[in-house]
Amino acid sequence: MFAHLTFSQTKPTSWGHTTTTGNSDPNFITSYPPTTKGESAAADLAEFFKPTTRWDNPPWYHTPSGIPPPLDGKPERYVSSWQSRGSIKTTRIGVLFSDMSVFWSAVTYSLTNPENQRDVKRQAWFLPRPKSLDQATLVEAHETYGDTIALFAESFLGTGQYCARGECWDLANEALKYFDQYDYIPKPVPSISRTHGHLIYEGKASKKGKEMVGRWRGGDDRIRRGDIIEWRTARITSVNAPGSYTILGDPEHTAVIVSNSKVLPNVGDGLSIPPSALGSLTVVEQSVGQPPVRKDYNLLGLEEGEMWIYRPIGFEVYLGISDLTPTPPESLPRIQQI
């Protein structure tokens, strides 16, 4: 018997990695994560593995990548493995999507006649998007990861050195990867596309700030140190210096929040709150040509664009799995099988 295991992560270089916008959930108001036909990206991929779905030849599962065609190339976070016994081979993949749904599959077939799909056994499992969490759980996540993430970002201030490639996204991604060296700390959910954990807030502004809309997610009552913010094509004017403004995102920008916000009254899971109500955010950010710096942004000045704020959180706490593997967990209440 032979076996092989591979891991892959693709670092996004632009928002263009997601080819569609919007979301099938009518409560979502922003252009990310990408549109799905069903309840999640993992559920959509599971449809491809139903017995009624025809697979064309040549067989995709007998290619070097072994990646299903609906994924259109390498997904941004996946693991794969294969094993063979005689002429029988089984390929497996696990995929973590940007909407935090998870997918697993196994395809068993004959190496002597891989195109004979009547003898192919296909299996698929998936986890739906996780539900939003209560305040106690989100505060515990902050206490576990928040200060370390903020300190990691702040450690570059004044050094003139970039984090990793110098891309804005690297600061958040590398901060989350920093926990890999501590085996006594539960593994956090990694950066996947523009997602960095549990969504806390999403909002947008248009018409020079005359129109603002936003939504709170989860049970916490504030933004906290170590949360991670994503901007898309945002324009923020300076409240204290009329005529001065900052563009965040061409089209996207990532930063690490390094101070707690004020306690936000009347917030709750799913409730509407405009970006202006969040007040000022202090972040550490970098970009190509600009090493990490500390910046303050008053969201009263948000005129255009979109924003998302994430709470870094443990894999096990949020998704119910300790890590992404090519095989699904043996027992997990939320898991669904095709």
Side-chain angles (χ1 to χ4, degrees):
M1 181 178 73
F2 297 91
H4 180 68
L5 176 67
T6 60
F7 300 84
S8 177
Q9 172 192 2
T10 302
K11 293 183 178 180
T13 55
S14 76
W15 207 277
H17 277 256
T18 56
T19 57
T20 56
T21 59
N23 198 287
S24 58
D25 182 346
N27 293 322
F28 272 59
I29 57 172
T30 51
S31 64
Y32 179 85
T35 298
T36 58
K37 294 180 180 179
E39 63 180 15
S40 68
D44 282 2
L45 183 54
E47 289 290 318
F48 179 72
F49 282 79
K50 285 186 173 180
T52 54
T53 302
R54 177 180 173 82
W55 289 355
D56 296 327
N57 285 321
W60 61 267
Y61 46 83
H62 192 53
T63 61
S65 69
I67 295 176
L71 291 178
D72 190 27
K74 287 186 178 181
E76 288 172 324
R77 179 75 63 166
Y78 85 105
V79 294
S80 64
S81 69
W82 60 263
Q83 63 181 25
S84 62
R85 188 184 299 272
S87 63
I88 303 301
K89 181 176 182 179
T90 299
T91 63
R92 301 179 181 273
I93 64 168
V95 185
L96 173 61
F97 290 96
S98 59
D99 65 0
M100 293 288 99
S101 62
V102 190
F103 173 86
W104 297 271
S105 70
V107 179
T108 302
Y109 63 98
S110 172
L111 290 169
T112 59
N113 190 8
E115 295 186 355
N116 183 6
Q117 295 190 18
R118 289 179 298 179
D119 295 333
V120 173
K121 180 181 180 181
R122 52 175 93 174
Q123 296 172 281
W125 305 259
F126 70 93
L127 284 176
R129 294 173 179 169
K131 295 181 179 180
S132 55
L133 300 177
D134 58 47
Q135 183 176 29
T137 304
L138 291 172
V139 170
E140 183 177 0
H142 159 72
E143 292 173 346
T144 302
Y145 306 104
D147 198 49
T148 300
I149 289 171
L151 287 170
F152 177 88
E154 290 171 333
S155 70
F156 290 91
L157 295 175
T159 67
Q161 297 181 342
Y162 292 98
C163 175
R165 305 168 301 167
E167 297 282 354
C168 59
W169 185 82
D170 291 344
L171 202 57
N173 179 58
E174 296 298 321
L176 289 168
K177 287 168 59 178
Y178 185 75
F179 291 95
D180 290 348
Q181 62 188 298
Y182 302 110
D183 58 6
Y184 57 89
I185 299 178
K187 185 179 181 68
V189 172
S191 294
I192 165 68
S193 187
R194 298 292 160 185
T195 303
H196 309 278
H198 184 295
L199 182 67
I200 294 293
Y201 180 77
E202 59 180 346
K204 64 181 179 181
S206 58
K207 298 183 179 179
K208 295 188 176 181
K210 293 179 180 179
E211 293 186 2
M212 282 193 181
V213 63
R215 186 184 72 163
W216 194 260
R217 191 164 188 264
D220 205 355
D221 61 1
R222 72 199 74 179
I223 298 161
R224 298 182 186 267
R225 175 174 164 86
D227 288 350
I228 296 169
I229 187 167
E230 284 282 345
W231 306 94
R232 187 180 190 194
T233 321
R235 175 186 169 111
I236 301 179
T237 59
S238 174
V239 175
N240 299 319
S244 176
Y245 65 89
T246 301
I247 300 294
L248 297 170
D250 185 22
E252 76 290 325
H253 185 63
T254 312
V256 174
I257 296 170
V258 294
S259 64
N260 293 347
S261 75
K262 61 183 180 181
V263 176
L264 301 169
N266 303 318
V267 296
D269 186 41
L271 295 184
S272 296
I273 176 173
S276 57
L278 303 183
S280 294
L281 299 178
T282 301
V283 306
V284 171
E285 61 186 13
Q286 70 173 12
S287 59
V288 176
Q290 174 61 69
V293 293
R294 187 188 305 268
K295 291 287 185 69
D296 294 302
Y297 296 111
N298 190 330
L299 296 181
L300 283 171
L302 181 64
E303 292 188 337
E304 306 286 341
E306 298 175 285
M307 58 179 290
W308 299 260
I309 299 175
Y310 294 93
R311 174 69 46 83
I313 193 167
F315 242 118
E316 187 82 41
V317 170
Y318 196 32
L319 302 179
I321 56 177
S322 58
D323 202 351
L324 181 64
T325 61
T327 57
E330 292 185 358
S331 60
L332 190 62
R334 293 196 308 119
I335 200 166
Q336 300 182 37
Q337 183 173 5
I338 295 297

